[in-house]
Amino acid sequence: MNYGSASFLLSVFFIILLIQVLSYWQVFAKAGYEGWKSIIPVYNTYILTKIGSQPTWVFIMLFIPILNFIASLLIAFSVAKSFGKGPAFAIFGLFIFSFFGYMYLGWGDSE
């Protein structure tokens, strides 16, 4: 059996995961929160609602089907606004292409 391609894909997956974790860590640090909070799966989304100054009910909407789509958009808009970005960045950068959007927020010149 040849496990070369599987180990390559697994390595690429972990590299992408590491980049995503480091990006979130930087975003949280820029927003004034401890970076380790970005590692905890559900808690990091709660902190993102706080970064965007959203009420707690927006976070609760994430657990309700169909409403979670709206809540994700609200969080993306509010996080983009809190970093001085516009609605286009919220839709394309933080909602559709969130991997690249959070990298830009974390390592870019956003404050």
Side-chain angles (χ1 to χ4, degrees):
M1 296 184 139
N2 183 5
Y3 294 108
S5 61
S7 63
F8 173 75
L9 290 176
L10 194 60
S11 299
V12 169
F13 170 75
F14 280 120
I15 289 170
I16 290 172
L17 182 66
L18 179 65
I19 291 171
Q20 186 71 32
V21 166
L22 293 175
S23 299
Y24 268 85
W25 193 292
Q26 279 297 114
V27 169
F28 278 50
K30 278 188 174 183
Y33 290 92
E34 293 87 6
W36 63 265
K37 292 181 179 183
S38 67
I39 300 173
I40 303 172
V42 177
Y43 187 57
N44 64 4
T45 309
Y46 175 73
I47 296 298
L48 278 178
T49 60
K50 294 304 166 193
I51 289 172
S53 301
Q54 290 288 331
T56 306
W57 61 266
V58 173
F59 173 72
I60 294 170
M61 281 175 51
L62 290 170
F63 298 103
I64 302 170
I66 300 170
L67 292 180
N68 58 2
F69 179 76
I70 297 167
S72 297
L73 276 172
L74 287 173
I75 292 169
F77 276 107
S78 62
V79 168
K81 185 178 178 184
S82 67
F83 279 97
K85 303 297 178 191
F89 180 80
I91 292 172
F92 293 108
L94 297 182
F95 187 71
I96 297 174
F97 301 111
S98 64
F99 178 76
F100 299 108
Y102 282 105
M103 279 190 343
Y104 181 76
L105 283 183
W107 290 311
D109 57 355
S110 304
E111 299 238 355

